[in-house]
């Protein structure tokens, strides 16, 4: 999570300004820096990528966020009014103390043994978080389209908390999320979207700027698993960074949301209905497509400086079919995410290298970095690979 590194004596002022602008993360703590003279102030995901005066004198750093337990006690207090103390103790760590906010919705993961308590969990969460409209139980990402199965377990309707027979009208999951100063339309019931990938997107932004500096021109970006387009949101917010874009996904519902998003980010009129991939503007190729078949269209191959491969359970398998899309007369970049057992990371690194064209000398070789646990044995990792121009 992004933090602002502020000298101790300026923390109060920084907090006032951040609160005033709506840029302070809610429910997270100000934490000490390694240097005792500084504090790390947590930033809301919606805060812009660059700080403005007077906050721009402080350094922006990435640091694991620390939940403010004083806020969280609230939900426990409410739960304690709805569930016996012995029952709370009996289920210990299984109670869902963490959650993800997606605009005015809260997503919680309820362990199967706590299913009978889901209404009470939803009620306690809604009481503890008055700005939340809908609480959804996350039953995991499913199928090729990676859509989460989200079941409404509680809603606020006209100020009342409802956990049974929730009306359809209260269950809409289409929302606008603020991230890095932009709005992203998403509907986690119809297309993959995760607020947890903001730092990944900021890393991609910084790598893209490096690539622009190497090429000495704006870059052409191919995002063939783009979902609703959050990676592009961050890249398009940097002026003169992006030239041509290919944005496609297999899921028509994701493409419908993407078109809505691109219309706002680009300030141009995109079609409202999703259709197979086509050139919508001279510099925008957008639509529904199977990424593994893009190489069959000559007009799409050999053109892209950056390819984003975000289908982590199949990235390694799909990499070879994506390489013909790279522009290979100049240096280029592949940015990917991979799910792999921890013990197999060295083998996966070798397999990635085998799928890539010749690497750019003077840059680190692609190597999977663990970002978080995906399950007890699997790790979610990311990598970047700098590709050399190829001699013909
Ligand atoms: C993990 S999601 C990432 C979405 C988006 N890049 C993001 O960061 O939110 C993977 C996306 O790949 C899409 N997908 C799955 N198989 C695909 C394929 N063969 N071709 C194109 N897209 C595919 C899914 O519909 C999904 O939107």
């Amino acid at each position: 999570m992004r933090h602002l590194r502020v000298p101790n004596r300026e923390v109060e002022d920084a907090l006032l300004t951040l609160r005033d602008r709506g840029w302070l993360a809610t429910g997270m703590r100000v934490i000490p820096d390694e240097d005792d003279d500084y504090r790390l102030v947590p930033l809301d995901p919606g805060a812009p990528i660059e700080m403005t005066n007077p906050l721009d004198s402080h350094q922006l750093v990435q640091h694991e966020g620390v939940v403010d337990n004083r806020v969280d006690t609230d939900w426990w207090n409410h739960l304690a009014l709805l569930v016996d103390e012995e029952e709370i103790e009996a289920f210990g760590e299984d109670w869902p103390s963490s959650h993800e906010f997606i605009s005015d919705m809260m997503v919680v993961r309820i362990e199967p043994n706590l299913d009978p308590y889901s209404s009470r969990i939803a009620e306690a969460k809604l009481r503890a978080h008055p700005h939340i409209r809908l609480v959804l139980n996350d039953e995991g990402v499913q199928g090729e389209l990676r859509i989460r199965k989200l079941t409404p377990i509680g809603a606020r309707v006209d100020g009342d908390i409802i956990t049974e027979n929730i009306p359809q009208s209260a269950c809409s999951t289409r929302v606008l999320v603020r991230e890095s100063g932009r709005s992203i339309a998403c509907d986690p019931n119809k297309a993959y979207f995760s607020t947890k990938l903001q730092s990944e997107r900021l890393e991609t932004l910084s790598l893209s700027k490096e690539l622009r500096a190497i090429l000495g021109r704006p870059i052409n970006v191919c995002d063939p698993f783009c979902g609703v387009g959050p990676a592009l949101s961050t890249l398009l917010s940097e002026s003169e960074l992006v030239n041509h874009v290919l944005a496609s996904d297999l899921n028509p519902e994701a493409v419908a949301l993407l078109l809505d998003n691109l219309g706002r980010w680009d300030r141009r009129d995109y079609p409202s209905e999703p259709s197979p991939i086509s050139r919508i503007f001279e510099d925008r190729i957008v639509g529904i497509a199977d990424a593994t078949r893009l190489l069959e269209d000559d007009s799409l191959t050999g053109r892209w400086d950056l390819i984003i491969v975000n289908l982590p359970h199949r990235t390694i398998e799909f990499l070879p079919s994506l390489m013909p899309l790279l522009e290979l007369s100049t240096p280029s970049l592949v940015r990917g995410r991979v799910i792999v057992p921890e013990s197999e990371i060295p083998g996966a690194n070798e397999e990635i290298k085998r799928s890539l064209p010749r690497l750019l000398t003077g840059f680190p070789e692609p190597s999977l970095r663990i970002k978080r646990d995906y399950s007890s044995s699997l790790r979610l990792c990311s990598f970047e690979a700098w590709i050399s121009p190829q001699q013909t």
Side-chain angles (χ1 to χ4, degrees):
M1 156 168 233
R2 287 190 308 155
H3 290 74
L4 204 56
R5 186 168 175 269
V6 181
N8 292 339
R9 63 181 182 290
E10 292 176 41
V11 167
E12 283 310 315
D13 284 347
L15 284 172
L16 274 177
T17 315
L18 287 168
R19 237 181 242 119
D20 202 38
R21 295 182 184 180
W23 296 352
L24 184 67
T26 45
M28 306 304 283
R29 281 179 45 190
V30 174
I31 47 181
D33 183 44
E34 284 168 359
D35 177 339
D36 280 344
D37 294 336
Y38 287 81
R39 289 272 181 286
L40 301 181
V41 181
L43 292 182
D44 186 85
I49 294 173
E50 307 283 354
M51 291 288 107
T52 50
N53 189 34
L55 301 166
D56 53 354
S57 58
H58 306 306
Q59 193 189 350
L60 281 165
V61 294
Q62 287 287 349
H63 194 287
E64 185 133 354
V66 178
V67 174
D68 188 343
N69 287 321
R70 289 164 303 182
V71 177
D72 219 37
T73 6
D74 232 25
W75 113 268
W76 287 109
N77 290 340
H78 288 296
L79 189 70
L81 297 173
L82 301 166
V83 179
D84 288 345
E85 203 178 317
E86 301 82 62
E87 286 175 282
I88 293 185
E89 270 174 29
F91 291 102
E93 304 256 299
D94 288 350
W95 293 102
S97 51
S98 65
H99 42 247
E100 178 183 359
F101 291 118
I102 305 181
S103 186
D104 63 355
M105 305 185 295
M106 176 191 273
V107 176
V108 291
R109 190 172 288 234
I110 298 182
E111 297 294 333
N113 58 342
L114 283 173
D115 266 350
Y117 296 89
S118 60
S119 295
R120 281 170 281 178
I121 292 170
E123 180 158 356
K125 295 276 185 190
L126 283 160
R127 284 190 193 175
H129 297 274
H131 66 287
I132 288 298
R133 171 182 57 90
L134 186 63
V135 180
L136 300 147
N137 181 20
D138 184 355
E139 292 169 44
V141 169
Q142 300 185 333
E144 260 328 277
L145 303 183
R146 315 310 290 154
I147 302 172
R148 284 199 258 188
K149 183 161 175 1
L150 296 171
T151 312
I153 54 170
R156 200 182 308 277
V157 181
D158 299 329
D160 295 328
I161 291 175
I162 295 181
T163 56
E164 305 292 332
N165 302 321
I166 303 169
Q168 266 308 311
S169 56
C171 292
S172 167
T173 46
R174 184 180 166 131
V175 287
L176 269 186
V177 172
R178 289 291 291 172
E179 184 181 288
S180 303
R182 293 231 167 182
S183 301
I184 303 172
C186 67
D187 184 339
N189 252 330
K190 294 193 168 153
Y192 178 93
F193 176 76
S194 171
T195 57
K196 293 184 183 157
L197 296 181
Q198 183 186 24
S199 52
E200 204 65 29
R201 301 192 252 277
L202 290 169
E203 267 183 34
T204 304
L205 172 65
S206 134
L207 290 162
S208 302
K209 288 192 204 172
E210 218 177 321
L211 181 61
R212 169 177 62 180
I214 295 170
L215 297 175
R217 58 165 171 79
I219 61 173
N220 299 322
V221 178
C222 173
D223 189 356
F225 306 95
C226 70
V228 304
L232 296 168
S233 160
T234 311
L235 299 181
L236 289 170
S237 68
E238 169 78 13
S239 86
E240 307 289 307
L241 176 64
V242 175
N243 186 7
H244 288 252
V245 170
L246 183 155
S248 58
D249 198 283
L250 200 54
N251 178 0
E253 304 268 20
V255 174
L257 288 154
L258 169 76
L259 291 165
D260 182 67
N261 282 325
L262 284 171
R264 256 175 301 107
W265 303 334
D266 271 347
R267 295 202 181 90
R268 288 190 254 186
D269 281 335
Y270 279 81
S272 53
E273 293 300 319
S275 56
I277 192 164
S278 67
R279 188 179 296 274
I280 294 186
F281 297 106
E282 198 270 318
D283 57 352
R284 298 287 183 263
I285 298 172
V286 182
I288 306 161
D290 178 344
T292 62
R293 304 197 57 184
L294 294 173
L295 80 173
E296 293 169 12
D297 181 342
D298 286 345
S299 71
L300 303 180
T301 56
R303 296 204 35 187
W304 307 99
D305 304 309
L306 166 65
I307 299 186
I308 302 171
V309 192
N310 188 1
L311 186 62
H313 67 299
R314 302 191 76 178
T315 290
I316 295 183
E317 174 193 346
F318 283 179
L319 261 188
S321 64
L322 300 169
M323 292 306 95
L325 301 170
L326 277 175
E327 158 70 83
L328 288 176
S329 65
T330 45
S332 52
L333 180 64
V334 179
R335 170 90 168 131
R337 297 190 340 120
V338 177
I339 292 170
V340 68
E342 188 159 355
S343 57
E344 291 174 23
I345 288 179
N349 283 334
E350 289 312 308
E351 209 174 330
I352 290 171
K353 277 187 262 174
R354 274 198 298 277
S355 301
L356 295 170
R358 196 158 49 81
L359 298 171
L360 194 58
T361 47
F363 284 77
E365 289 202 340
S367 171
L368 292 174
R369 288 187 303 281
I370 299 176
K371 291 304 178 84
R372 63 177 172 84
D373 292 351
Y374 188 77
S375 68
S376 56
S377 62
L378 296 174
R379 302 290 169 262
L380 190 51
C381 306
S382 65
F383 72 93
E384 62 271 355
W386 294 92
I387 310 295
S388 165
Q390 314 289 302
Q391 272 107 34
T392 46

